[in-house]
Amino acid sequence: MKLLVDSSSSLLLSLLLAQLPLFTSAKPLRYPVHNDFDKLTNQTKHLLKLTQDLLKEHSLDTEIENHRFKSLPSMGNRATDLSSLELKPTLSQLHADLRSFEHHFDWLHRISQKHKHSSIPKLMEIIHQIKILMNSLQRQMGRVEAHRHPFPNPSMPPHPAFHWEVAQSSIELLQQFRLFCDWATRAFLTLKSKVPA
């Protein structure tokens, strides 16, 4: 009887070992990369809308000079630059720029609280959505093994003493962030078209 059990076990083990090449040669499941870029694009579009809505509330008759934030990312990109974008470097740069904007918005939130500015709830929503976008972007960077740029803490301007200066700082930051969101949306759409389905 013991011999019968041993031979049954051996037969079962042999069958399992025979199937092993089938399991190891099966193709790994591919993650739908296009869905990632759709998500990144939609999150960025949402941030763009929030930024535009808040800018409408800050409408002033005078032109705002962009000079308060020396450490904001340079937004000198052109539509013609889209064709030359590469996946990993672009994701890394967008991540670095987004982190910089996050620090600037945190600064603006602190001074807005000090001056009891009326835009605080919408400003907090923008900061919250930036963090969500950063998490999605970091996950995508991990999937494609894009590295993170070292991030020195940006130098911030001195705290504004007057409510008017807070409004000017808000407008300048929102205008620059609107440009970033517009560029990032286009970049994500372009990268999606370059990634194989």
Side-chain angles (χ1 to χ4, degrees):
M1 187 68 176
K2 187 173 187 293
L3 181 62
L4 183 60
V5 172
D6 286 346
S7 62
S8 297
S9 299
S10 297
L11 181 60
L12 182 60
L13 182 61
S14 298
L15 286 172
L16 286 173
L17 288 174
Q19 298 299 317
L20 191 59
L22 293 175
F23 294 119
T24 56
S25 66
K27 289 185 179 178
L29 291 175
R30 295 188 64 184
Y31 191 85
V33 176
H34 283 195
N35 291 353
D36 287 343
F37 283 100
D38 287 339
K39 183 176 182 180
L40 289 166
T41 302
N42 290 335
Q43 289 173 336
T44 310
K45 284 180 178 177
H46 182 56
L47 263 171
L48 177 59
K49 184 180 185 311
L50 290 173
T51 304
Q52 290 170 330
D53 290 347
L54 193 49
L55 268 171
K56 287 174 188 172
E57 293 183 14
H58 282 297
S59 58
L60 298 173
D61 294 333
T62 57
E63 194 69 29
I64 297 296
E65 293 182 19
N66 294 333
H67 66 279
R68 294 173 188 275
F69 298 103
K70 305 298 183 190
S71 54
L72 278 174
S74 173
M75 300 311 302
N77 302 306
R78 299 164 302 193
T80 53
D81 297 333
L82 290 169
S83 60
S84 60
L85 291 182
E86 296 178 20
L87 180 63
K88 293 181 184 181
T90 303
L91 291 178
S92 297
Q93 188 60 55
L94 289 172
H95 180 262
D97 291 349
L98 193 58
R99 282 187 70 191
S100 178
F101 276 109
E102 180 188 28
H103 279 264
H104 285 81
F105 274 107
D106 284 340
W107 175 88
L108 182 60
H109 179 244
R110 288 193 300 274
I111 65 165
S112 297
Q113 283 183 315
K114 183 180 176 183
H115 288 267
K116 297 181 173 60
H117 205 274
S118 61
S119 64
I120 290 176
K122 291 187 178 178
L123 193 56
M124 288 177 66
E125 177 62 14
I126 287 177
I127 293 170
H128 176 67
Q129 293 300 322
I130 287 175
K131 292 182 189 306
I132 291 174
L133 177 58
M134 279 190 62
N135 288 336
S136 298
L137 184 51
Q138 285 168 186
R139 280 193 298 274
Q140 182 58 32
M141 289 171 68
R143 289 189 181 110
V144 301
E145 298 178 349
H147 75 280
R148 295 189 195 184
H149 292 317
F151 184 72
N153 282 332
S155 58
M156 296 297 169
H159 280 209
F162 304 103
H163 191 276
W164 170 252
E165 292 178 304
V166 176
Q168 287 183 312
S169 297
S170 298
I171 292 171
E172 180 180 347
L173 182 54
L174 289 166
Q175 286 174 340
Q176 292 300 309
F177 191 58
R178 177 177 59 187
L179 291 175
F180 169 80
C181 289
D182 182 66
W183 169 255
T185 301
R186 295 168 190 264
F188 288 138
L189 287 169
T190 301
L191 292 175
K192 176 186 171 180
S193 69
K194 293 185 174 188
V195 174

